[in-house]
Amino acid sequence: MDENALAKSAPKEDIQTHTDNLLKNVNLLKELYPNLKVDWGLLHWACVYHDLGKLHFKFQDRIKGIKHHPGEIPHGLLSLAMIDHKALKNMGYDRNAIKLLYQAVAYHHDRKMPFQNEEIEKEFAGLYPNFASFEYDKLPEKLKIATEINQRYFSVNKRFYEERDKDLFFEFIMLEGLLNRMDYAASAGIPVETPNDFLSASMDELMCSWQEVDENTNWNDLQIYMRNKPDKNLIVIAQTGMGKTEAGLLWLGNAKGFFTLPLKSAINAIYKRISEKIVREKMDERVGLLHSDTYIKYLEQGEKDESISLDTYYTKTRQLSLPLTICTLDQLFNFVFRYRGFEQKLATLSYSKVIIDEVQMYSPELIAYLVLGLHYITRMEGKFAILTATLPTLFLDLLREQDIIFEPAQIFTNDIIRHSLKVLDEDINSKDIVDISKQYGGKKILVICNTIKSALKLYHQLAQVAGKQQVWLLHSHFTKEDRSIKESHIMEMGKRENTQCGIWVATQIVEASLDIDFDLLFTELSDLNGLFQRMGRCYRNRILDMEYNCFVFTGGNKRCSGVGAFIDKKVHNCSKESLVGIDGIITEGQKIAMVEELYTKEKLSDYYRNIKENIDYVKSINEYEFSKTDVNNKFRSIDTVSVIPRGVYNKYPVEINEAINILKADYSGVDKSEARVHRASARRIIAEQTVDIPFYLAQKIILKKIYINAYEQLSIAECEYNSQEGIIKPDMKTGGEDFSSHSF
């Protein structure tokens, strides 16, 4: 251990050892992905040089706890003093390559740089005392400390930009991004990548297990198509129940992959399904789960398997080192803002395959980020596959306008007639639901409303008629604990073989996240996409055996709930027009054709323009203008906020306050892993009693804050709550607004 050249203090490690670990990861990455478009030699030198600035006496004093010197220059900038540009030229590197190296080293911890070259150069002298005794066999011979920075290669804040520097900008992304991947992996003591050497075999085993039940089972046309096109960007539209998840995994094969879904509940369900049915061992080395509650979910996994090191599993997941990661869009696509430090995510995606499910559920804002993200990913030679039950036609136009290359969209349906649709041009109401369902005897009935307000109203009306024991309610404003219980119940009842009768009243949260199969569907019209998604929860994979099994209420002279609030008026009205004349059997092909015809940029020009404006806005932002925190806040504005309803807080004051005290406790001297488990357990207790509400609605209700520390706080919403109805009329700041009519 070179005590005068420490790279980090906990645990202690010198610069030489740390750099050696980076170089081991370079070799590992090169072995796994030899054809990456990065100059491996330049990456080697970037690793060798990146931390030499830590030799500065101020850094060594700080890391040893001797003294904190104010105005310390970031070590990446000080490392520039060691880069031997003449030696690099002799190796054959041209001016641009050397510029790339300088910038990658300087900005490997990307911060705002208020310094001029002169200010950095003044500090170079502080490197001498520890440099004199520094020995490292990877350095070039006769290494010297420069007195000034050669401005041919580096000046503060003169960086690579996409519009001006074209290909150099993308070369920088690869070099900087991979340097950071190596650095963070070495610091965490994990391999930068774990090879995917299992998924193809796991899929074969899955098929074998099915064939043990039915020897005639085989992959269907969709799955064979995906498996046979592993190197193409694909778009497939397939009806529900055709095995899109398996198709996506067959396309992925033994490549590195990311599986994105719009809802955390859907992600958790896919993760559970993969762990139970497909990848049955070594999940902590193979499959990651990435959303805002990852560690809490891993705690549950750790309780089932004590051999799992939660810290290592979590770190590998956060660093994108696992072969397959299931995640929300915001965890992956925030790089489109090109925030400071975005390079490592895009560099990783350059050798990855991204599966995108349920495109139709994204808002115009998120569709803009998705399209722009795919532009960058394909520009960097990453691959994507979009799997969806319905696809807006204008989405394809947006992809083409961004010069994204993909195979012609393929449609996969079968000839099974599953649905017969009755259009009712009136407001959704309990009388019709009761009268119609009586005609079909005792059945499993699913009612889907656009808003919580509408769902609550119907729930109470139907409970009066059928009795509270036969009617249940599900929407997004239940605590996580209650929602989990309700989801388990509806999924159990929604199994085809389950003969229980009753009525579930829900909102659109059941459209994509739950694998359920009901006998009758009654729904408000949101839009065509939403309607066909909802119909997928009825007769999921069964042959129609009744006159009608789906009933859509289009509002009559009234507007369906949620229209104008979070459902686009124009899309809704056009959807309503599309249903004129529909009465009876509706095939899968008809559904896809109707969506194709409606969701065009000509018919929905304002909706399309909204997406385009969002794309243009993000593109207009200068590279490195935002920090990652800025970007996370931007995504937060379209994300949710967790609150504890006052009624819940009053019910569990002891449990919640004990958890708060655990989070507030001082863990100095306590093992970091142990402390993290304590904190995560406390967070889970609190999280179970929280309700996620949209950020924009959280701004409008009265919240009391309980401060835990400088970074964490609990929000208590002033409202009642019960497990049958969820949140009840929270106090609004402005008054007059109906909270539940803006939520689902």
Side-chain angles (χ1 to χ4, degrees), residues 373-415:
L374 293 179
H375 162 76
Y376 280 113
I377 290 170
T378 52
R379 172 67 178 77
M380 300 287 285
E381 301 193 357
K383 303 290 178 195
F384 73 88
I386 293 173
L387 294 156
T388 186
T390 53
L391 183 72
T393 307
L394 57 82
F395 186 81
L396 298 178
D397 293 322
L398 291 163
L399 293 181
R400 292 189 192 99
E401 286 162 15
Q402 295 300 318
D403 298 324
I404 297 168
I405 305 295
F406 56 91
E407 294 285 291
Q410 298 293 310
I411 297 170
F412 293 89
T413 58
N414 56 34
D415 296 330

Side-chain angles (χ1 to χ4, degrees), residues 636 642 705-709 711-715:
R636 190 171 164 240
S642 295
K705 306 283 187 184
I706 298 178
Y707 290 91
I708 298 170
N709 54 45
Y711 310 102
E712 287 184 280
Q713 58 193 26
L714 281 187
S715 296

Side-chain angles (χ1 to χ4, degrees), residues 416-452:
I416 296 176
I417 302 297
R418 302 184 296 156
H419 298 128
S420 178
L421 180 64
K422 185 71 179 174
V423 181
L424 301 163
D425 189 24
E426 55 188 295
D427 198 18
I428 192 165
N429 63 87
S430 58
K431 183 178 182 305
D432 281 348
I433 293 171
V434 171
D435 290 346
I436 294 169
S437 56
K438 276 181 182 173
Q439 299 174 28
Y440 295 90
K443 295 281 182 180
K444 292 185 288 188
I445 297 165
L446 181 62
V447 180
I448 303 181
C449 299
N450 294 340
T451 64
I452 293 176

Side-chain angles (χ1 to χ4, degrees), residues 632-668:
N632 287 342
N633 287 338
K634 281 185 173 295
F635 270 85
R636 190 171 164 240
S637 69
I638 51 175
D639 203 349
T640 56
V641 175
S642 295
V643 304
I644 299 180
R646 172 66 65 189
V648 174
Y649 181 76
N650 290 343
K651 188 176 178 183
Y652 302 106
V654 175
E655 292 87 345
I656 292 171
N657 285 315
E658 279 181 359
I660 290 171
N661 289 334
I662 290 171
L663 293 176
K664 284 181 173 177
D666 181 2
Y667 288 91
S668 304

Side-chain angles (χ1 to χ4, degrees), residues 528-705:
L528 273 192
N529 265 326
L531 172 62
F532 296 147
Q533 285 289 326
R534 294 173 186 187
M535 288 169 69
R537 271 63 207 163
C538 174
Y539 272 59
R540 192 163 176 75
N541 206 14
R542 291 189 263 167
I543 297 173
L544 181 71
D545 55 4
M546 61 179 76
E547 185 180 4
Y548 295 103
N549 58 358
C550 297
F551 303 85
V552 57
F553 294 82
T554 58
N557 295 326
K558 294 183 179 176
R559 185 186 287 172
C560 291
S561 71
V563 176
F566 52 84
I567 298 169
D568 187 277
K569 282 183 198 172
K570 176 80 173 175
V571 177
H572 173 83
N573 290 337
C574 289
S575 297
K576 191 172 175 178
E577 289 170 12
S578 298
L579 291 171
V580 173
I582 298 290
D583 184 31
I585 288 172
I586 182 166
T587 66
E588 302 305 319
Q590 265 181 287
K591 294 175 193 171
I592 290 169
M594 289 171 71
V595 169
E596 274 186 3
E597 192 178 331
L598 170 61
Y599 294 85
T600 63
K601 58 184 180 182
E602 290 79 17
K603 279 195 176 173
L604 303 177
S605 54
D606 290 345
Y607 180 79
Y608 172 76
R609 192 180 308 116
N610 188 1
I611 299 172
K612 287 271 290 177
E613 286 173 355
N614 274 298
I615 291 175
D616 292 342
Y617 162 68
V618 178
K619 288 174 91 170
S620 73
I621 296 168
N622 285 329
E623 292 84 355
Y624 326 114
E625 185 175 331
F626 291 133
S627 69
K628 190 176 180 183
T629 304
D630 294 333
V631 171
N632 287 342
N633 287 338
K634 281 185 173 295
F635 270 85
R636 190 171 164 240
S637 69
I638 51 175
D639 203 349
T640 56
V641 175
S642 295
V643 304
I644 299 180
R646 172 66 65 189
V648 174
Y649 181 76
N650 290 343
K651 188 176 178 183
Y652 302 106
V654 175
E655 292 87 345
I656 292 171
N657 285 315
E658 279 181 359
I660 290 171
N661 289 334
I662 290 171
L663 293 176
K664 284 181 173 177
D666 181 2
Y667 288 91
S668 304
V670 179
D671 178 79
K672 280 187 177 178
S673 296
E674 191 181 331
R676 174 175 276 182
V677 169
H678 279 307
R679 289 195 184 105
S681 298
R683 287 194 181 96
R684 180 166 61 167
I685 290 168
I686 293 170
E688 288 290 293
Q689 305 308 329
T690 60
V691 177
D692 290 339
I693 61 176
F695 181 80
Y696 71 93
L697 279 179
Q699 302 290 87
K700 296 181 178 179
I701 64 174
I702 296 173
L703 298 172
K704 182 188 174 188
K705 306 283 187 184

Side-chain angles (χ1 to χ4, degrees), residues 132-257:
S133 60
F134 185 68
E135 293 183 358
Y136 185 35
D137 58 2
K138 307 297 189 307
L139 295 178
E141 291 182 3
K142 300 177 184 176
L143 185 66
K144 295 178 183 176
I145 297 175
T147 55
E148 59 183 29
I149 300 170
N150 190 321
Q151 294 190 28
R152 283 167 58 85
Y153 306 121
F154 182 83
S155 288
V156 171
N157 290 328
K158 288 188 178 175
R159 309 192 59 166
F160 292 109
Y161 292 93
E162 181 180 0
E163 188 172 345
R164 185 191 65 197
D165 298 301
K166 314 294 181 196
D167 289 347
L168 271 180
F169 173 72
F170 292 97
E171 288 178 41
F172 175 72
I173 289 171
M174 286 301 289
L175 186 65
E176 172 85 329
L178 293 181
L179 170 62
N180 279 333
R181 289 288 315 278
M182 306 302 147
D183 194 14
Y184 295 148
S187 294
I190 62 169
V192 68
E193 286 293 348
T194 303
N196 179 352
D197 55 5
F198 60 91
L199 190 54
S200 292
S202 296
M203 296 305 290
D204 290 342
E205 289 168 14
L206 177 67
M207 177 50 66
C208 287
S209 68
W210 288 349
Q211 288 174 338
E212 285 175 9
V213 180
D214 179 356
E215 61 181 6
N216 295 319
T217 302
N218 214 328
W219 300 120
N220 60 31
D221 290 345
L222 161 68
Q223 293 156 342
I224 291 169
Y225 171 78
M226 296 289 288
R227 188 184 60 185
N228 291 343
K229 299 265 187 182
D231 298 323
K232 302 293 184 185
N233 297 320
L234 302 180
I235 296 175
V236 299
I237 304 158
Q239 69 187 62
T240 52
M242 288 201 77
K244 290 196 287 290
T245 301
E246 287 79 7
L249 297 178
L250 285 167
W251 174 75
L252 183 59
N254 281 356
K256 181 177 180 67

